Amino acid sequence: MDVMIKAIDVNKEYRRAGAIIRALADVNLEIKSGEFVIIQGPTGCGKSTLLNVLSGLDIPDSGKIIFDGENIARATEDRLARLRRMKIGFVFQDFNLIRTLTALENVESVLWPTVLRTSEIEDRAIAALRDVNLLERKDHFPVQMSGGEKQKCGLARAIIHRPRVILADEPTGNLDPESEKEIMDLLKEINKDSETTVIVVTHREKLTSYGDKIVKMKDGKIQSVK
Ligand SMILES: Nc1ncnc2c1ncn2[C@@H]1O[C@H](COP(=O)(O)OP(=O)(O)OP(=O)(O)O)[C@@H](O)[C@H]1O
Ligand SMILES: [Mg+2]
């Protein structure tokens, strides 16, 4: 398998009230194309910081992030925005749906503005909603959907542009156990069917069973990779 993302000697500090917090301390990690990776650890250990530097949402103080062959640790903001738009699908703990748009429109919105035809966008959004078993709710607004349904909509939105990588920060943090299983199973299905690399951040030990690779973090450091 090809290397999808590689972090080399990555450091990131925050200063707060005179104290220095090492959010990432000499982090090295290799993620292969098509892998399902779980990054697990207690609150404050640096999981979100790591996910953010892996996707170019945040810039490390030192070290390299090689994303699909390109060092993005020093890329321009324009370049990073383009890379995220083309290659990454994001899934959020609080879903981040636009409340004035229907499920279908929320999914379509990823492709606006675009050179694609309106009918092509709609076909793709419908296919994405079908992939996550949410087609029957396509005309519902977020307020009319359950948490699990909202997150399925979030998944459809994350896959419509056929990204290389899906990044999910606590994607089941606001869900009941049944919906949690459904969302994790869907992520696994997407990972297997389309060979999309999936990286899930969670504090829940239980979810590590989904990973091909399990990365355990503590105090800004990677403790183990299995
Ligand atoms: N913008 C910031 N300014 C100052 N400190 C920050 C900032 N972002 C994160 N931190 C600190 O860096 C450390 C790592 O934070 P991070 O959000 O990556 O942890 P986490 O593992 O995602 O935690 P959680 O499970 O609670 O989401 C924490 O001590 C946090 O307080
Ligand atoms: Mg976090």
Side-chain angles (χ1 to χ4, degrees), residues 14 16 21 23 42-49 170:
Y14 291 109
R16 205 170 40 194
I21 298 158
T43 183
C45 72
K47 305 182 295 294
S48 296
T49 306
E170 303 278 5

Side-chain angles (χ1 to χ4, degrees), residues 43-61:
T43 183
C45 72
K47 305 182 295 294
S48 296
T49 306
L50 178 57
L51 207 62
N52 291 345
V53 300
L54 291 179
S55 59
L57 276 175
D58 210 341
I59 293 169
D61 299 332

Side-chain angles (χ1 to χ4, degrees), residues 30-177:
E30 185 174 283
I31 292 170
K32 296 202 166 68
S33 180
E35 247 176 351
F36 196 115
V37 180
I38 302 271
I39 300 174
Q40 194 265 337
T43 183
C45 72
K47 305 182 295 294
S48 296
T49 306
L50 178 57
L51 207 62
N52 291 345
V53 300
L54 291 179
S55 59
L57 276 175
D58 210 341
I59 293 169
D61 299 332
S62 64
K64 289 182 184 172
I65 304 287
I66 314 293
F67 189 109
D68 207 9
E70 172 184 352
N71 182 12
I72 63 165
R74 293 288 169 264
T76 63
E77 195 42 56
D78 275 0
R79 177 78 201 121
L80 290 174
R82 190 180 151 75
L83 173 127
R84 288 194 297 267
R85 201 167 58 238
M86 310 279 292
K87 298 189 180 177
I88 303 177
F90 290 95
V91 181
F92 306 92
Q93 175 169 355
D94 55 4
F95 323 123
N96 273 15
L97 300 177
I98 299 171
R99 66 187 167 78
T100 51
L101 300 182
T102 63
L104 184 71
E105 290 164 345
N106 263 285
V107 177
E108 289 178 342
S109 70
V110 174
L111 299 177
W112 302 337
T114 177
V115 294
L116 299 173
R117 286 197 317 276
T118 313
S119 61
E120 162 87 12
I121 298 178
E122 185 169 338
D123 289 350
R124 281 173 63 169
I126 284 175
L129 284 168
R130 188 178 292 121
D131 284 348
V132 300
N133 312 316
L134 195 69
L135 195 51
E136 67 211 16
R137 294 280 182 274
K138 77 177 172 58
D139 297 320
H140 286 217
F141 290 93
V143 70
Q144 300 170 314
M145 291 189 275
S146 69
E149 287 170 344
K150 280 189 255 200
Q151 196 56 301
K152 285 189 196 174
C153 187
L155 286 187
R157 182 183 53 188
I159 60 175
I160 188 177
H161 59 304
R162 298 166 191 151
R164 299 287 312 277
V165 183
I166 292 175
L167 298 179
D169 196 343
E170 303 278 5
T172 65
N174 288 346
L175 302 180
D176 59 87

